[in-house]
Amino acid sequence: MGDKVKTVGEALVDILEANGVDVVFGIPGVHTVELYRGLAGAKIRHVTPRHEQGAGFMADGYARVSGKPGVCLVITGPGLTNTITAMAQAQQDSVPLLVISGVNARSSLGHGRGRLHELPDQRAMIASFALMSHTLLEPEDLPAVMNRAFAILRSGRPGPVHIEIPTDVMAKPIALPQPENPPVPRPRADIASVLDLAQRCRQAKRAVILCGGGAVSAAPGIEVLAERLDAPVVTTVNARGMFYRHPLSVPASPSLAAVRRLIADADLVLALGTQMGQTDYDMYADNGFPELPQTLVRVDIDAAQLARGPSASLPILSTVNNLVDDLLTELAEFGGEKIDAQGVLRALQAREAALAELTPKMRCEISILETIRETLPGAIIVGDSTQAVYSGNLYYEADRLHGWFNAATGYGALGYGPPAAIGASIAEPTTQIVCLVGDGGLQFSLAELGAAKDAGAQVIFLVWNNDGYQEIETYMIEQGIVPEGVKPSPPDFLKIAEAYGLPAVRLSDVDALPGALVDASRTLGPTLIEIHERKTRGATA
């Protein structure tokens, strides 16, 4: 059969569908309507946020939970610039995001004639941080460009990819060939590196494993390796939930002194899929993370990342899955006996000492997180930048993979939590999602309560209300600065929820939280619970 002739917009939808895309997030406009032409007849669901930043954050949450790229459709100019914050967050946290935008007609590009939504060079603007940014100038290039985009999204370190389509190209006819979905090679360590690491593992007496977000999919193999080496496993924020209640698990930040002592005392530190960035390893910017010139082995999918940050005595370019598989095979073939390195005791001591470092207020906030976990087993907690989330990033153990993620690390975008929670719910519609967000952060994305209602998202918006930006106010006071600009008045969130049709309750005592969570989980669609830091008994120590 010959190739089918369709418009570029229709062909784009076909290609997305052929690549497993089942949902797109976006707000249509006159500069993208031709891209919507094929959606009505497709199996792809369209979700409408209230702001394009919300579209990007929804796609981010969807991608983290589903494991598939999150896809956005946005207009040229303000639609794309509104999405930039979400793209930057995805770049920092290695989240696969495909943003397809419009751009003005080809004949107008670069001329500055004052066209609607015109930017001097929007592709160049995005190219400064995206893994790829491409302007589709010729209709027939669409299949090749999309193949390249998905190859990038599925191969190395994930991040944002951008394709812009001029308005005069969208409606052009294109002969669409049979869709291709070629296999994408994934990096694998050379045999010499595997043999070197295997020898180090056999000689190690006090190994420690560090797991970042790039290690999550290799959790079963890492568990076998950790038990083989009797090695405590420290999980960063994006890896929490990998080894729930395993005796070797240390769900605490490497920014804490107790965890740093555990790492400094090791004779082998195996860092798997972790950026080793400041917000995980040096949250307080005290430069106290130990130097590990001889003991550190880093495994990463990105060669550039291996060249940054702490220098490793053995850098290995590989997916964590491939490396762990190869290493376990090598260890089994040449002596598979387990090492007795008092790993369980070392992990226990690190956990207890790390928790003891935290302030009573932090421990109180962590106990609230644990109440959520125990009341709603298997729920996903999506966080914003708020005090209870900061405490959880220091010490909290989720009970499932992808059960804890937030924007209080890396790029640190405020307002991330509500739309990302909606995206997570769309990825797993039968799973209860809890969005932990402060009163300041929720006001960044307040209108997305309406998007949650429209989407039927099973999200409990748990609002941590302290009447302003208390984390910043505290920091200003500690620096001897008179606080200014940290008291934006919050609205009555219960009335806002009611306006959007969400059931809502304000707790007078934290002891009522389990019952409120159960009631909310039995409600179809989104709900809201407010805890006030000073007015809700038990919210602080």
Side-chain angles (χ1 to χ4, degrees), residues 122-200:
Q122 69 176 27
R123 190 210 65 79
M125 175 181 63
I126 300 300
S128 67
F129 66 92
L131 302 180
M132 164 188 168
S133 183
H134 183 91
T135 305
L136 186 74
L137 297 175
E138 301 298 334
E140 59 269 20
D141 290 340
L142 178 67
V145 171
M146 294 300 292
N147 282 345
R148 182 157 62 97
F150 278 103
I152 291 171
L153 289 164
R154 292 169 176 153
S155 55
R157 180 187 176 193
V161 167
H162 169 238
I163 297 170
E164 62 180 18
I165 304 177
T167 53
D168 62 319
V169 173
M170 294 176 185
K172 294 286 187 184
I174 175 177
L176 187 65
Q178 286 295 110
E180 298 179 14
N181 197 352
V184 178
R186 308 278 277 172
R188 193 168 213 120
D190 61 273
I191 187 61
S193 294
V194 176
L195 292 174
D196 187 345
L197 180 54
Q199 181 64 17
R200 295 180 189 221

Side-chain angles (χ1 to χ4, degrees), residues 200 263-264 266-270 291-297 313:
R200 295 180 189 221
I263 295 168
D267 57 2
L268 172 64
V269 179
L270 183 54
E291 297 287 338
L292 306 167
Q294 302 302 320
T295 60
L296 179 62
V297 175
S313 61

Side-chain angles (χ1 to χ4, degrees), residues 22 49 64 100 116 149 164 185 204 256 262 315 324-325 340 345 355 368 434 453 464 531 537:
D22 54 13
R64 294 190 198 227
I100 301 169
L116 180 65
E164 62 180 18
L256 296 173
L262 172 73
V324 171
D325 287 348
D340 181 7
L345 177 61
L355 189 60
I368 292 174
V434 178
K453 179 70 173 178
W464 191 267
I531 293 176
R537 287 189 298 274

Side-chain angles (χ1 to χ4, degrees), residues 54-70:
F57 286 150
M58 287 180 191
D60 177 301
Y62 170 87
R64 294 190 198 227
V65 174
S66 71
K68 300 192 293 185

Side-chain angles (χ1 to χ4, degrees), residues 406-493:
N406 56 76
T409 62
Y411 197 60
L414 204 59
Y416 167 88
I422 296 169
S425 180
I426 290 168
E428 284 193 19
T430 61
T431 297
Q432 182 62 65
I433 313 296
V434 178
C435 173
L436 183 54
V437 59
D439 56 295
L442 181 53
Q443 290 182 79
F444 270 57
S445 298
L446 193 58
E448 302 303 351
L449 295 179
K453 179 70 173 178
D454 289 349
Q458 196 63 30
V459 178
I460 300 170
F461 294 97
L462 183 56
V463 183
W464 191 267
N465 191 346
N466 54 32
D467 294 324
Y469 304 134
Q470 187 170 325
E471 185 75 13
I472 306 303
E473 180 180 0
T474 301
Y475 184 78
M476 293 176 81
I477 292 171
E478 290 173 348
Q479 300 304 309
I481 300 169
V482 177
E484 184 66 51
V486 293
K487 290 293 186 182
S489 299
D492 186 325
F493 290 111

Side-chain angles (χ1 to χ4, degrees), residues 260-516:
R260 289 175 169 181
R261 287 194 298 269
L262 172 73
I263 295 168
D265 186 56
D267 57 2
L268 172 64
V269 179
L270 183 54
L272 302 175
T274 172
Q275 186 183 25
M276 301 191 78
Q278 183 187 49
T279 52
D280 270 314
Y281 289 81
D282 195 17
M283 187 180 298
Y284 297 111
D286 59 9
N287 297 313
F289 189 78
E291 297 287 338
L292 306 167
Q294 302 302 320
T295 60
L296 179 62
V297 175
R298 292 189 67 183
V299 180
D300 204 281
I301 198 172
D302 184 2
Q305 192 57 49
L306 289 172
R308 303 186 189 107
S311 178
S313 61
L314 177 60
I316 299 177
L317 180 65
S318 175
T319 67
V320 176
N321 296 69
N322 285 342
L323 185 279
V324 171
D325 287 348
D326 293 344
L327 179 59
L328 288 174
T329 298
E330 182 64 28
L331 290 173
E333 289 181 357
F334 297 93
E337 70 280 357
K338 292 185 178 181
I339 296 170
D340 181 7
Q342 293 188 307
V344 171
L345 177 61
R346 289 188 292 139
L348 174 63
Q349 291 173 339
R351 289 195 302 270
E352 290 179 344
L355 189 60
E357 280 183 55
L358 305 182
T359 66
K361 179 177 182 296
M362 289 175 175
R363 292 198 293 271
C364 181
E365 290 162 351
I366 291 167
S367 72
I368 292 174
L369 301 177
E370 292 170 342
T371 295
I372 299 171
R373 183 188 65 204
E374 301 308 314
T375 305
L376 302 174
I380 296 172
I381 301 178
V382 182
D384 207 83
S385 293
T386 192
Q387 290 192 320
V389 171
Y390 298 138
S391 297
N393 283 348
L394 286 170
Y395 193 108
Y396 173 71
E397 187 165 29
D399 65 357
R400 54 156 287 169
L401 297 179
H402 307 296
W404 172 264
F405 62 88
N406 56 76
T409 62
Y411 197 60
L414 204 59
Y416 167 88
I422 296 169
S425 180
I426 290 168
E428 284 193 19
T430 61
T431 297
Q432 182 62 65
I433 313 296
V434 178
C435 173
L436 183 54
V437 59
D439 56 295
L442 181 53
Q443 290 182 79
F444 270 57
S445 298
L446 193 58
E448 302 303 351
L449 295 179
K453 179 70 173 178
D454 289 349
Q458 196 63 30
V459 178
I460 300 170
F461 294 97
L462 183 56
V463 183
W464 191 267
N465 191 346
N466 54 32
D467 294 324
Y469 304 134
Q470 187 170 325
E471 185 75 13
I472 306 303
E473 180 180 0
T474 301
Y475 184 78
M476 293 176 81
I477 292 171
E478 290 173 348
Q479 300 304 309
I481 300 169
V482 177
E484 184 66 51
V486 293
K487 290 293 186 182
S489 299
D492 186 325
F493 290 111
L494 269 64
K495 291 181 179 178
I496 296 290
E498 179 184 1
Y500 280 114
L502 277 62
V505 62
R506 180 178 294 118
L507 302 186
S508 59
D509 197 306
V510 165
D511 288 344
L513 179 59

Side-chain angles (χ1 to χ4, degrees), residues 1-5 175-178:
M1 295 179 63
D3 296 342
K4 296 180 179 179
V5 177
L176 187 65
Q178 286 295 110

